[in-house]
Amino acid sequence: MNDQTFLAPSESFWDMVKGSFGFAFKNIHRYLLLTILFSIPFLIIGGLLFFGLKVAFGQGAFDGSLPNIDPSVLRMPLSPLNVGSLYKILGGFSALFILIVPLAILYGLWIQLAFVRLTTNLKSGQPEGYGALLKWSLHRLLSYLMLQLRIFIYVGGWLFLIILLLYAGVGFMAGAQIGPSQLFSILNFILGIAGLASVFFVIYRVPKTLFSPFVFAQENLSSSDALKQSVEVVTGHWWKTVLYVLGAGILFAILTGILSAISFQLNVTLGLVIQSVLSFVMTFYILSFQYQLYQTLKASSSPNLLS
């Protein structure tokens, strides 16, 4: 990773689109290698689960026959002992689920941060080895989690969830016929208006947080400072940010649809391959485009934002 692929900030939408396309295809092997590195734990865990199920139940665990289980066991009455065993099994699965979900969220954030860091390094001409990249992103993982929580609070996601819970509560009370029906109609109307307002509020604020991961990854700021700088960069450029990001996404989606349709007409296998490659490239094209847009807006913002 020793070549510099820095693109100077440009105000032109088409310059950014072309530059991001070229960047994504030029560096696809780097993103592919990082994807493989993050896929290794999934392959190991999946292999262990496969081996464990096969040892416990035999090949029937995968073809539905379950030859190692005595059919009479399945027809046993639910005695207190059997019920207790069933509860233990369900409790074990619940505990495993509670453990896996937070780990999966953290692992997903680690992947996201690593790809953002790789993008900012390549675009700014400051490459680093994959080992250092993984170590840095893991070291900053909890701070990145805090950034995501700050974003959730800033955009008002908590408010939307509260309105949904209240709406569900009113629906439950109406179903249980607790109170007059006219009251439920009024409450549903009020919550509907509040919910619609919260949706518009979230839509307005989300674009302001768009660049906070890039600020966090490139400038090593705290989660609060990264969010603050992203908001400052977008302030005064909200419509440009939204239209540029939507335009870049729609343009790539149209191109992907056309190429996929043509390739599927020629050969189904070819179509699947092209569709998979384009979907893979799109992620890094969008990352590249958003970073370039961030640099463009930052260059035209207050001088104290310039590094």
Side-chain angles (χ1 to χ4, degrees):
M1 295 168 52
N2 53 11
D3 61 322
Q4 297 190 359
T5 53
F6 175 74
L7 296 174
S10 170
E11 288 289 341
S12 169
F13 171 79
W14 293 109
D15 284 347
M16 283 189 279
V17 168
K18 290 186 291 184
S20 298
F21 266 121
F23 173 85
F25 279 104
K26 180 179 179 180
N27 294 283
I28 189 173
H29 62 289
R30 306 183 193 277
Y31 289 108
L32 180 60
L33 180 55
L34 188 57
T35 302
I36 293 173
L37 291 175
F38 274 114
S39 299
I40 291 175
F42 286 105
L43 295 175
I44 294 175
I45 294 174
L48 292 175
L49 289 175
F50 178 88
F51 179 76
L53 288 173
K54 191 169 183 179
V55 170
F57 301 113
Q59 186 61 33
F62 306 98
D63 59 21
S65 60
L66 295 175
N68 290 350
I69 295 181
D70 186 352
S72 63
V73 174
L74 302 178
R75 295 191 293 269
M76 290 177 61
L78 285 177
S79 65
L81 180 61
N82 293 335
V83 172
S85 300
L86 180 61
Y87 277 127
K88 288 182 179 179
I89 294 173
L90 293 177
F93 277 114
S94 300
L96 184 62
F97 179 80
I98 293 173
L99 176 65
I100 288 178
V101 169
L103 291 177
I105 292 174
L106 288 175
Y107 196 73
L109 289 176
W110 185 23
I111 294 173
Q112 183 185 99
L113 179 58
F115 278 111
V116 172
R117 175 74 170 184
L118 177 61
T119 301
T120 58
N121 286 344
L122 293 174
K123 296 282 282 186
S124 60
Q126 299 174 348
E128 62 182 341
Y130 289 101
L133 174 66
L134 295 175
K135 182 178 179 180
W136 179 91
S137 54
L138 182 60
H139 176 72
R140 297 277 286 165
L141 180 58
L142 293 182
S143 296
Y144 191 65
L145 173 62
M146 183 59 65
L147 174 62
Q148 298 303 316
L149 292 176
R150 289 182 183 277
I151 291 174
F152 179 78
I153 295 172
Y154 177 80
V155 301
W158 58 273
L159 179 62
F160 186 69
L161 288 179
I162 290 176
I163 292 174
L164 284 180
L165 291 175
L166 291 175
Y167 192 81
V170 171
F172 173 78
M173 293 174 64
Q177 297 182 345
I178 304 175
S181 59
Q182 294 83 358
L183 175 62
F184 298 131
S185 299
I186 295 173
L187 289 176
N188 282 331
F189 177 77
I190 294 175
L191 289 175
I193 297 298
L196 185 62
S198 67
V199 169
F200 282 112
F201 181 78
V202 170
I203 292 175
Y204 171 71
R205 284 215 160 181
V206 163
K208 292 189 173 186
T209 69
L210 189 65
F211 305 124
S212 52
F214 298 105
V215 179
F216 181 86
Q218 184 177 36
E219 303 183 25
N220 286 317
L221 297 180
S222 65
S223 58
S224 58
D225 289 338
L227 177 58
K228 179 182 178 181
Q229 181 160 317
S230 176
V231 172
E232 290 177 353
V233 168
V234 177
T235 298
H237 305 284
W238 190 89
W239 279 110
K240 182 176 183 178
T241 301
V242 172
L243 293 177
Y244 270 41
V245 172
L246 286 178
I250 292 172
L251 182 65
F252 192 89
I254 293 174
L255 177 62
T256 301
I258 293 174
L259 292 177
S260 297
I262 294 174
S263 59
F264 271 111
Q265 290 294 326
L266 298 175
N267 184 275
V268 175
T269 303
L270 177 63
L272 290 173
V273 171
I274 291 180
Q275 190 176 54
S276 300
V277 172
L278 290 176
S279 299
F280 185 74
V281 171
M282 182 177 183
T283 302
F284 314 120
Y285 156 73
I286 293 297
L287 277 176
S288 172
F289 184 89
Q290 289 180 354
Y291 177 83
Q292 190 62 28
L293 179 59
Y294 161 65
Q295 290 295 329
T296 298
L297 297 180
K298 182 181 175 182
S300 61
S301 298
S302 175
N304 65 332
L305 294 179
L306 298 178
S307 55

